[in-house]
């Protein structure tokens, strides 16, 4: 895919000129794949910084729609892979469309590491600028993106190696700034494992953390692997409520390829799919409402429990012979879709599987009452009604 960019130069301060970010003569490049490059004069960092904004395919066609934002460290070279993976997930209703903001580097070791390295195995004296770089996000970059693009308040920070360390630092320094933190092979060996120590302390004292964290590692060994394993174990054994933690270890994958190896799992586990998994269903059907409320908050649009998705939950339960729970789910679905032929037919099936032929027949009759000849499975409904009626008639003599 050819990505065209137009560079616009923008000067701004924290208190003024935010509208210039969008009104600087940038031209739309493609209806489906719009990408823009902006050079920003940062007051916080006292230097010019370049960011590339990739808009989703529907951005121009749906002017009222808002989108979650992925902030990707280490520049626009990461956009094509991220776009391709997320688009594939979108095609399977497992992810929303997103805006991707890629930040180009000037001095990545300075910006990404919160502490200055004193360990001889690394570049001694480098690092220590993460707090200022995070302030750049908080005070300048995120407000400008929010001001000038249709963003939803669900933000992801993703980075690799030193960028992964920054993602973990952002989680600790301001847990509410980003709702998801992705760290591909974070270089937590840095400065005697300072990030491991701070993460362990943060997790130990944090009771509630409504967030998502994904980390991974490749074939790295030595102190890198030792310190990563310590980090992983700390996050795995967390007690913080609301923290969703996932990790991968890839044998034979080099440090530089861990972002490519992990990106699918990172976003597959992050975004809730429109098809609610059976594992998310509790004994209370209210868990369906809770799931889709969380999904809506994540996707940036109001998504009611889909008729087909809820029916799938019920059919899953009938398949495992949990007939009472299945009927509860089917009834819940009819409350949302009282005129759905499929919903009524599903409830009929639930009753039939439970052995309640009379109720199964009643629900099938209700389905037929609102179905017309254009319904693709009208013959199935009629045949099922006739079969249930015959079975009910056969049962009557034995009940005398």
């Amino acid at each position: 895919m050819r990505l065209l960019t137009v560079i616009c130069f923008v000067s701004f301060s924290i208190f003024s000129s935010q509208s210039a970010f969008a009104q600087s003569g940038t031209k739309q490049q493609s209806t489906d794949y719009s990408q823009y490059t902006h050079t920003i004069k940062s007051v916080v960092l006292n230097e010019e910084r370049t960011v590339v904004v990739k808009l989703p395919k529907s951005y121009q066609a749906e002017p009222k729609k808002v989108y979650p934002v992925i902030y990707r460290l280490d520049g626009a070279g990461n956009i094509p892979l991220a776009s391709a993976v997320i688009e594939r997930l979108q095609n399977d209703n497992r992810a929303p469309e997103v805006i991707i903001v890629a930040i180009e580097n000037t001095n990545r070791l300075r910006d990404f590491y919160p502490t200055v390295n004193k360990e001889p195995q690394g570049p001694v004296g480098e690092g220590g600028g993460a707090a200022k770089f995070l302030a750049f996000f908080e005070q300048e970059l995120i407000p400008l993106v929010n001001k000038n693009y249709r963003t939803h308040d669900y933000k992801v920070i993703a980075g690799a190696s030193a960028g992964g360390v920054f993602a973990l630092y952002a989680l600790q320094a301001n847990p509410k700034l980003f709702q998801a933190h992705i760290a591909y092979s974070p270089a937590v060996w840095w400065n005697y494992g300072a990030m491991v120590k701070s993460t362990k302390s943060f997790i130990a004292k944090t009771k509630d953390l409504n967030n998502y964290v994904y980390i991974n590692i490749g074939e790295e060994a030595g102190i890198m692997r030792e310190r990563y394993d310590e980090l992983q174990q700390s996050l795995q054994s967390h007690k913080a409520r609301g923290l969703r933690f996932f990790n991968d270890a890839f044998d034979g994958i080099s440090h530089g390829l861990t972002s490519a190896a992990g990106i699918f799992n990172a976003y597959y586990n992050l975004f809730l799919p429109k098809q609610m998994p059976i594992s998310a269903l509790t004994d209370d059907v209210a868990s369906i409402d809770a799931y889709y409320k969380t999904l809506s908050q994540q996707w940036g649009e109001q998504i009611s429990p889909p008729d087909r998705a809820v029916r799938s939950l019920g059919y899953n339960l009938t398949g495992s012979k949990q007939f009472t729970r299945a009927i509860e789910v089917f009834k819940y679905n009819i409350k949302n879709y009282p005129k759905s032929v499929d919903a009524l037919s599903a409830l009929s099936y639930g009753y039939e599987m439970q052995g309640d032929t009379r109720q199964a027949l009643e629900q099938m009759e209700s389905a037929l009452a609102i179905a017309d000849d254009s319904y693709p499975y009208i013959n199935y409904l009629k045949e099922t009604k006739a079969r249930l009626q015959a079975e009910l008639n056969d049962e009557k003599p034995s009940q005398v």
Side-chain angles (χ1 to χ4, degrees):
M1 176 181 64
R2 182 175 62 179
L3 302 177
L4 304 177
T5 59
V6 176
I7 301 177
C8 63
F9 294 88
V10 182
S11 297
F12 67 90
S13 68
I14 298 173
F15 303 104
S16 64
S17 302
Q18 290 189 344
S19 61
F21 190 71
Q23 300 173 359
S24 54
T26 303
K27 296 181 180 179
Q28 179 183 334
Q29 300 304 306
S30 166
T31 301
D32 290 338
Y33 293 97
S34 300
Q35 183 164 306
Y36 305 90
T37 300
H38 305 269
T39 300
I40 306 168
K41 176 64 178 177
S42 170
V43 173
V44 172
L45 299 175
N46 192 31
E47 65 180 9
E48 286 187 345
R49 298 303 296 254
T50 300
V51 298
V52 178
V53 179
K54 171 69 184 299
L55 300 179
K57 290 198 296 184
S58 70
Y59 193 86
Q60 304 298 337
E62 300 188 38
K64 294 184 179 181
K65 189 173 181 178
V66 296
Y67 303 86
V69 184
I70 295 173
Y71 288 88
R72 184 56 164 94
L73 304 171
D74 284 325
N78 294 290
I79 289 179
L81 179 58
S83 295
V85 170
I86 294 171
E87 184 172 333
R88 181 58 62 92
L89 291 171
Q90 291 163 6
N91 291 340
D92 198 41
N93 282 321
R94 296 199 65 94
E97 288 188 291
V98 301
I99 294 172
I100 301 176
V101 179
I103 302 93
E104 302 292 346
N105 294 322
T106 55
N107 185 334
R108 70 190 300 271
L109 298 185
R110 175 201 67 191
D111 289 341
F112 293 168
Y113 287 115
T115 62
V116 175
N117 182 51
K118 300 178 182 179
E119 189 167 5
Q121 84 150 14
V124 175
E126 294 283 357
K132 184 176 286 189
F133 194 53
L134 187 61
F136 163 67
F137 275 86
E138 294 176 296
Q139 300 173 25
E140 296 179 333
L141 180 56
I142 292 175
L144 284 176
V145 171
N146 289 345
K147 176 76 174 180
N148 296 287
Y149 293 98
R150 299 196 309 275
T151 62
H152 168 52
D153 191 24
Y154 191 88
K155 301 180 293 297
V156 181
I157 180 76
S161 192
V165 172
F166 181 78
L168 294 173
Y169 168 74
L171 173 70
Q172 299 166 44
N174 188 344
K176 295 183 179 180
L177 185 62
F178 300 99
Q179 287 65 56
H181 299 74
I182 297 173
Y184 304 112
S185 191
V188 293
W189 62 266
W190 182 269
N191 194 26
Y192 298 99
M195 179 50 60
V196 178
K197 296 172 186 175
S198 64
T199 301
K200 291 175 69 175
S201 175
F202 173 75
I203 288 296
K205 67 183 181 182
T206 302
K207 294 182 179 180
D208 293 282
L209 188 60
N210 185 21
N211 222 295
Y212 170 90
V213 174
Y214 172 87
I215 63 174
N216 72 12
I217 194 168
E219 63 183 2
E220 295 94 331
I223 62 170
M224 169 63 176
R225 188 55 179 254
E226 293 173 7
R227 292 171 184 173
Y228 175 90
D229 287 346
E230 188 177 355
L231 170 75
Q232 184 268 327
Q233 290 165 12
S234 174
L235 288 167
Q236 192 72 56
S237 61
H238 71 86
K239 298 291 194 298
R241 290 188 296 268
L243 175 60
R244 299 169 57 225
F245 172 66
F246 295 86
N247 71 97
D248 285 315
F250 299 106
D251 293 335
I253 298 296
S254 68
H255 179 72
L257 289 176
T258 52
S259 57
I263 188 169
F264 177 83
N265 283 349
Y267 291 108
Y268 180 88
N269 291 316
L270 167 59
F271 292 118
L272 300 180
K274 280 190 177 180
Q275 173 57 63
M276 178 180 175
I278 192 66
S279 60
L281 180 67
T282 69
D283 289 336
D284 188 348
V285 291
S287 60
I288 302 175
D289 289 320
Y291 178 88
Y292 284 98
K293 178 180 179 180
T294 301
L295 185 148
S296 297
Q297 292 169 346
Q298 191 183 70
W299 284 43
E301 55 185 297
Q302 185 60 44
I303 299 175
S304 299
D307 181 3
R308 184 174 181 178
V310 177
R311 280 187 283 116
S312 179
L313 292 173
Y315 287 132
N316 191 303
L317 292 170
T318 58
S320 59
K321 301 187 184 306
Q322 301 180 64
F323 303 125
T324 300
R325 290 184 69 199
I327 289 169
E328 289 176 355
V329 169
F330 289 139
K331 285 182 175 180
Y332 163 90
N333 196 38
I334 289 176
K335 288 182 180 179
N336 292 332
Y337 301 96
K339 299 299 182 181
S340 168
V341 177
D342 292 328
L344 289 164
S345 176
L347 179 57
S348 172
Y349 177 78
Y351 277 124
E352 183 180 1
M353 292 298 99
Q354 192 184 43
D356 192 336
T357 307
R358 181 176 297 279
Q359 283 285 2
L361 178 60
E362 288 183 7
Q363 299 305 322
M364 186 54 64
E365 288 173 338
S366 296
L368 276 166
I370 59 176
D372 54 36
D373 289 339
S374 65
Y375 180 73
Y377 308 111
I378 188 68
N379 289 335
Y380 163 78
L381 299 183
K382 292 178 180 179
E383 291 168 1
T384 302
K385 176 188 174 183
R387 176 174 54 78
L388 292 171
Q389 183 66 67
E391 291 177 4
L392 189 61
N393 291 337
D394 289 342
E395 291 175 5
K396 288 180 179 180
S398 62
Q399 295 173 357
V400 177

